[in-house]
Amino acid sequence: MKAKYIRIVFTVTLILVFAMSSALARNKNESLMKPAGDSGENSFEVHKVGKVWNAVSNFGVFGDPNVPAGLPSMEWPGGSGVHHLWEGRFWVAANVDGEKRCSHADYGNYEFAGLGDWPLTLGSGKSVEDSYSRYDDLNADIHSTESMGLEIRQRGLTWSTKEFDDFIIYEMEVARVASGAGYSGDVLNDVYVAWVYDSDVGTGIDPTSAAIDDAVDFDGWDGNNPERNITYTIDMVHNLDWDLDGDFGPVEGYDERGIPLGWHHAGSPSLPNPNYDPAAVQPDGFYDEYQVFLEEDGPEIMWQTTVTFMYNGSAVSTIAGDVAVLDGEVLHGYVIPRNMSYMYDADDPSSPELDTQEGGVVPGFIGGRMIYSDHFKMYGAYGETEDDIHSRVFSHGWWNWESDPGTDKDKYDYMAATHNASQGNFFMPHPFSIGAPTFDYRWLTATGPFYDFKEGDVLNFVYVEVMGTGLAGMRSNADNALIAYYTGSAGNPYEPTAPDEDIHYLLPVPPPVPELKYSPMNNGVRLAWDNSAELMDDPLILEPDFAGYRVYRSAYSPSEWTLLSIFDNTDELTYVIDFDNGDTLTDASGEPYFVNLPPFDIANSGINHYYEDVGDTMIAQDANGNEITLWVNERPLNDLPYFYAVTSYDNPAAHGRPEFPPIESSKVNFAVDEDGAPKAIHPEGLYEVGETGDAELNVSVYPNPYIGASLLEAKYKSKVNFINLPPNCRINIYALAGDLIDIIVHDDGTTNESWNMESRNEQEIATGLYVYVIETNDGRRQVGKFVVLRGE
C-alpha cells in the first residue's frame, strides 16, 4: 500500500534518532521567551523550493495581495503564473472583561508588525528551506482596540521531494509577552486562533474572473447535521490509492479532474456535474473526510462504514466498528479528521458555458489544514458526538465580501461561530447546500477556546497550505503533510506532540541546489555551477551521498522543464529516473534504460560543472560499452526567452541505505532580477564587423500582443522585444494616430533590442495599437504593428 510504504520507509529512521544529536538540535525549537522588540519593517520573502510558491511575511500575512502583479500567492505549479490566493491572514481573538478583541492581519488594516531585531529570513533548518519571522501586536498606533500583548514566532517549512513538494507548513507560537495596563489586563480568556484565507483561485490566468466564481467547503469532523446539509459520514471515494497505480481516478471514485463522481453539483448549484454518476461511487469503508494513516506500529484500525468494495480484484465487505482486514492482514495506524478548509474554481455564472476549473486550465484545489493545536493536549477532545474523540478545529466558516468583518467583535464572532453570517453553524456547509451561488469567498479555520492566557504562556500550532489537482490531489497532498510532521516523532495523531517536544519531519533531503550562472551566445547558452552539492552531508546518512547533476531548460516561463543532460559521479550502470513522477526512462520497446551516464570515466575526467546548450544529443553507454542515444535536444532560438536550472540528486543505496529513494533538489536556481522575479535569458546573434544582415528585413516583436497589468510591469519590468534586427538600425515607434512615441538606436551588433514601453518623456504607454518603423543607413525599411493590452 502506497501510504503504508511511505510511512514504514521513513519510520526506519528512528533507529538514528539517538545517534543524531545534530539532527535533534536542528529539529528542536529554541527557547523563545524573550522580551518583545520594537516593531520593525514589514517585509516578504518567497518560498519556492517546492511546486508551491508563496510569499511569507513578518506581519501575519500569507501571500501577496498585489497578486498577480506582486509576489507569488500560492502559485501552483511554481512558475506557471497561476495563483490561488489573494491574501491569507492570521487572527488571535480573546474576551477581555466582556469586550471582544482581535489582533489581526486584514487587508489594509494590519495590527501585527515585524520585530526590528528579528528580520524575516530564509535558510536551512528542519526542512529544505525554512523561513523565520517574528511579529507582535504591541504597537498601539495600529490598533482599533487595546493590544493583547502578543508575540508570534513563525517558522515556514518547505521540501522539494515528490511526496512533500505541494505544501508549505507553518509552525506558530502565540506568546503572551506583555500584560496589565495597556495590554488587555493580566489574563486573556476565551482565546481563539484562526487562519483566514481569501482565495481567488486562478488569478493570473482565469479568462473570466478569478474572484467571483469560487466555491468553498470543509474536510473533517463537522457535526453531522443533516438538517443543515452538513455531514462527514459519507463514503463515496477511496481514502488511499489502494491499487497502487500512483493516481486517483475512476477506480477510486474520482473523475479526470480529481472531482468525486458522486458530486451532483461540482461547479454550479443549478447545473449538474457533467461527470456525475451515482453508480460510479467507490466506497472503501472509511469516511471521505478522514485521513487513513497506515502505520505498522499503530493501533488496530476499525472500519467506519458498512460497504463492499474491490481490492486486488476481490470483493471486500466491511462492517462499521469491526477490525479492518485486507488480504488477511489487520490494518494498523490512525484514522483522523483532516481539519481542512478548501476552495476551488467553480462555474462563472456570467459566462454561458459550464467552466468549472476553466476547462482544465485551473485544476488546483487550495486547502488550509490544521495539523496541530495545543487545545487537544490541554483540554482533550470536544466530545460532541461519540466519535468526536480526536484533535480537531473548533470552527470552519466562510463569507463573501458583503459580510467582511469590520470590527474586532465581528472577527471574534466568526471565530466563535456566533456571527449572524454563520447561521448557527460551527461548520458552514458547502454554499450550494444552503442555496448560495459561486462567489468571492473567504474561509476561516479556528481553534480554541483557550483559558487563563497569562504573561509567559505560549500556545503552539501547526498549519499547512496545500495544493493539488482536484479534491483527490489536494487530499492526498494534505495527508502527506501530516505524514511528514509525524515522521521521526514519538507522538502520533492520537497522541499529538508539539513541534518543540520531539523530532518531526525526519525526512531524507536532497543535496543542496548548485549555485548557477549562465550567459547568452548565438543560438545557445553557456552554463556553469559550483560543487557545493558534492560536499554537504546528508543528515540521515551522515556523509555526502551526491550522485550527479541534471541540466534543465524551459521556454517562456520557469515551469515546463525539458531535461537536457545528466552527469553522474559513477562508472556503474544505473536506471534513469524521472523525478517528477518516479518513473524510469524507457526505450522504444518500453524497456527501462540501464546505462552508464557521462562522464564515462569519472576517475580521469571528473564530474561536469559546465554545459553549453547548443542542441546536442544525450549519449549514454549500455552494458557492453556501446554508445546509445537517449534523446536529442533542439537548439535554442535567438531572441526567445529561456530559463535554466541545474539540480543535484543523491543515491542513498550507494551508501548502504537502499530504503531511502534517490531524490533531486529543486529547480530554483534560474536567474532572477533584484526583486526576485524570474529573469529570462535571450540567446542572441552577434554580427561580424562589416556585416549588414539580410537584404530584406524580417524583424518581429515579441510578445505580440503584450498582455499585462500596470503593477505587473512595475514589479517585473515587462517589455517588448524586437528580434531579428540588423546590426545597426533605428527603431521608430508611433501611436496609431501618427504621434512619435520613442526612438531606439540599435547599434550593438546583436540581433535583438528591448523596449520598456515608456515614451520619450518617460511616460508609460497606454493600451492600444502601435506602429514600428525599422530604418537602416543603407535605406532598408520595414513597417510593422504590435498591440499593448495593459489591463487595470
Side-chain angles (χ1 to χ4, degrees):
M1 300 172 193
K2 186 176 182 182
K4 185 174 183 179
Y5 169 76
I6 294 172
R7 179 60 176 168
I8 292 172
V9 164
F10 293 141
T11 300
V12 301
T13 63
L14 286 173
I15 64 175
L16 302 174
V17 169
F18 296 105
M20 294 177 59
S21 58
S22 62
L24 177 60
R26 176 174 58 89
N27 264 274
K28 293 280 283 186
N29 277 355
E30 67 275 17
S31 174
L32 300 177
M33 293 309 302
K34 74 172 200 65
D38 295 332
S39 295
E41 181 178 354
N42 293 347
S43 60
F44 285 104
E45 292 284 355
V46 177
H47 278 301
K48 59 179 181 180
V49 304
K51 287 175 63 178
V52 178
W53 293 4
N54 197 29
V56 59
S57 80
N58 63 347
F59 57 102
V61 168
F62 307 93
D64 182 352
N66 289 315
V67 64
L71 299 170
S73 283
M74 293 300 285
E75 183 178 356
W76 181 86
S80 67
V82 184
H83 306 264
H84 300 78
L85 176 65
W86 189 58
E87 182 182 67
R89 303 149 186 172
F90 188 61
W91 293 358
V92 183
N95 189 329
V96 181
D97 296 328
E99 182 184 356
K100 298 172 180 177
R101 294 182 180 171
C102 182
S103 292
H104 58 261
D106 200 9
Y107 183 70
N109 183 14
Y110 303 111
E111 295 188 347
F112 291 117
L115 302 185
D117 51 352
W118 280 93
L120 172 60
T121 58
L122 295 176
S124 60
K126 296 183 179 183
S127 68
V128 173
E129 179 186 69
D130 290 11
S131 62
Y132 305 87
S133 63
R134 295 194 187 184
Y135 44 95
D136 63 28
D137 74 342
L138 303 185
N139 186 344
D141 294 337
I142 55 177
H143 280 268
S144 58
T145 58
E146 203 170 58
S147 163
M148 292 192 291
L150 304 177
E151 180 179 296
I152 314 302
R153 299 138 186 182
Q154 176 179 302
R155 182 199 298 259
L157 303 102
T158 56
W159 291 265
S160 58
T161 46
K162 177 174 169 47
E163 288 83 5
F164 309 107
D165 61 355
D166 290 291
F167 54 78
I168 301 173
I169 293 178
Y170 296 98
E171 295 179 350
M172 307 187 72
E173 293 183 1
V174 177
R176 190 91 194 277
V177 296
S179 61
Y183 297 106
S184 298
D186 294 328
V187 177
L188 300 178
N189 269 305
D190 300 324
V191 176
Y192 294 94
V193 170
W195 296 264
V196 179
Y197 273 51
D198 184 350
S199 298
D200 295 341
V201 180
T203 297
I205 200 168
D206 192 326
T208 52
S209 171
I212 65 169
D213 61 349
D214 292 331
V216 59
D217 206 357
F218 179 74
D219 242 17
W221 187 97
D222 55 21
N224 203 43
N225 188 338
E227 291 79 12
R228 294 186 179 274
N229 293 306
I230 299 173
T231 181
Y232 61 91
T233 56
I234 295 175
D235 185 7
M236 67 170 63
V237 296
H238 286 186
N239 294 63
L240 286 176
D241 177 23
W242 296 109
D243 64 359
L244 299 179
D245 67 352
D247 193 17
F248 284 85
V251 171
E252 290 78 25
Y254 294 97
D255 67 14
E256 71 280 357
R257 303 170 298 166
I259 292 177
L261 292 162
W263 273 17
H264 192 190
H265 297 278
S268 168
S270 58
L271 300 175
N273 174 14
N275 293 333
Y276 172 63
D277 184 358
V281 299
Q282 299 290 340
D284 67 349
F286 298 104
Y287 300 146
D288 295 344
E289 296 184 328
Y290 276 56
Q291 176 177 352
V292 179
F293 182 5
L294 299 179
E295 167 62 83
E296 280 188 339
D297 297 328
E300 292 181 344
I301 288 177
M302 308 297 177
W303 298 118
Q304 291 180 308
T305 67
T306 300
V307 298
T308 297
F309 71 99
M310 299 301 294
Y311 176 73
N312 277 352
S314 300
V316 176
S317 295
T318 74
I319 299 177
D322 279 4
V323 174
V325 180
L326 282 179
D327 276 353
E329 178 186 359
V330 174
L331 300 185
H332 291 78
Y334 311 93
V335 182
I336 63 267
R338 285 200 184 86
N339 301 319
M340 178 169 62
S341 304
Y342 66 89
M343 201 173 295
Y344 63 96
D345 180 84
D347 178 55
D348 185 347
S350 66
S351 60
E353 72 280 0
L354 184 65
D355 61 358
T356 303
Q357 295 176 298
E358 303 300 335
V361 176
V362 187
F365 275 45
I366 175 175
R369 178 177 187 177
M370 191 193 76
I371 289 181
Y372 176 86
S373 168
D374 271 344
H375 190 276
F376 185 78
K377 181 174 294 184
M378 296 171 68
Y379 308 112
Y382 290 99
E384 295 295 330
T385 60
E386 184 178 349
D387 62 351
D388 184 20
I389 59 175
H390 304 302
S391 175
R392 66 166 173 87
V393 301
F394 178 79
S395 64
H396 153 81
W398 54 256
W399 61 90
N400 60 48
W401 64 34
E402 297 171 340
S403 301
D404 273 334
T407 66
D408 281 11
K409 179 183 180 301
D410 285 336
K411 290 181 173 63
Y412 182 100
D413 287 345
Y414 270 122
M415 298 162 78
T418 56
H419 196 280
N420 288 338
S422 300
Q423 303 178 33
N425 295 301
F426 280 77
F427 295 86
M428 286 287 287
H430 193 293
F432 300 170
S433 297
I434 57 175
T438 59
F439 204 54
D440 184 10
Y441 291 113
R442 301 88 164 93
W443 84 59
L444 173 146
T445 311
T447 179
F450 299 89
Y451 308 103
D452 301 322
F453 192 41
K454 304 180 296 296
E455 186 172 350
D457 289 347
V458 180
L459 298 173
N460 290 275
F461 310 95
V462 181
Y463 183 79
V464 58
E465 306 167 327
V466 60
M467 292 297 310
T469 299
L471 183 61
M474 182 192 63
R475 280 174 166 170
S476 178
N477 293 329
D479 291 354
N480 283 338
L482 189 85
I483 291 171
Y485 181 71
Y486 283 109
T487 297
S489 173
N492 60 66
Y494 290 175
E495 298 175 343
T497 54
D500 61 345
E501 288 186 283
D502 66 354
I503 293 176
H504 294 269
Y505 322 104
L506 197 56
L507 307 174
V509 296
V513 177
E515 184 74 25
L516 173 65
K517 303 292 183 183
Y518 47 84
S519 58
M521 52 190 295
N522 186 25
N523 291 121
V525 173
R526 297 184 182 92
L527 296 88
W529 57 93
D530 71 352
N531 68 343
S532 58
E534 303 163 38
L535 307 176
M536 183 171 293
D537 287 352
D538 184 288
L540 296 183
I541 296 175
L542 303 181
E543 62 178 298
D545 65 344
F546 167 83
Y549 296 109
R550 294 190 171 201
V551 183
Y552 294 88
R553 177 181 72 199
S554 179
Y556 304 109
S557 67
S559 56
E560 299 295 330
W561 295 101
T562 297
L563 179 59
L564 300 178
S565 189
I566 308 176
F567 306 104
D568 75 356
N569 67 344
T570 176
D571 293 334
E572 298 179 358
L573 300 174
T574 183
Y575 292 104
V576 183
I577 299 173
D578 183 339
F579 286 104
D580 286 334
N581 56 32
D583 293 338
T584 301
L585 188 68
T586 60
D587 60 21
S589 65
E591 287 296 314
Y593 280 117
F594 191 57
V595 295
N596 186 10
L597 297 167
F600 302 125
D601 186 356
I602 185 68
N604 295 324
S605 61
I607 193 72
N608 287 46
H609 300 93
Y610 178 81
Y611 180 77
E612 283 192 357
D613 180 21
V614 290
D616 62 356
T617 300
M618 180 64 201
I619 300 293
Q621 288 182 345
D622 62 17
N624 298 317
N626 300 316
E627 291 192 349
I628 59 174
T629 297
L630 299 185
W631 61 79
V632 178
N633 302 317
E634 294 183 355
R635 186 160 189 159
L637 300 176
N638 279 346
D639 306 321
L640 291 184
Y642 294 97
F643 297 85
Y644 288 83
V646 173
T647 65
S648 58
Y649 62 95
D650 61 16
N651 182 15
H655 298 263
R657 303 312 298 261
E659 67 271 25
F660 297 145
I663 50 180
E664 181 185 30
S665 67
S666 304
K667 304 179 188 72
V668 294
N669 49 6
F670 50 82
V672 297
D673 65 17
E674 62 271 20
D675 296 317
K679 180 181 179 182
I681 188 170
H682 297 76
E684 57 186 11
L686 186 64
Y687 290 99
E688 297 289 341
V689 175
E691 281 190 279
T692 60
D694 295 337
E696 184 175 346
L697 298 182
N698 186 30
V699 179
S700 60
V701 174
Y702 173 85
N704 187 12
Y706 167 82
I707 302 175
S710 57
L711 286 176
L712 180 65
E713 294 150 21
K715 179 66 182 178
Y716 293 112
K717 301 176 175 60
S718 292
K719 57 191 177 184
V720 294
N721 300 281
F722 296 88
I723 60 178
N724 299 325
L725 290 167
N728 294 279
C729 64
R730 188 173 71 174
I731 306 169
N732 305 291
I733 302 171
Y734 298 90
L736 190 60
D739 298 324
L740 180 63
I741 303 298
D742 202 3
I743 298 174
I744 304 171
V745 176
H746 173 73
D747 58 4
D748 62 1
T750 64
T751 58
N752 73 339
E753 186 76 49
S754 63
W755 181 49
N756 63 2
M757 295 189 292
E758 292 183 358
S759 70
R760 291 179 294 173
N761 298 323
E762 299 183 347
Q763 299 292 316
E764 291 183 350
I765 65 171
T767 291
L769 177 65
Y770 292 85
V771 177
Y772 65 88
V773 179
I774 311 297
E775 297 177 325
T776 66
N777 293 335
D778 57 9
R780 287 173 292 166
R781 192 170 187 266
Q782 178 186 337
V783 179
K785 299 176 182 179
F786 63 94
V787 176
V788 173
L789 301 174
R790 285 272 191 202
E792 298 297 330

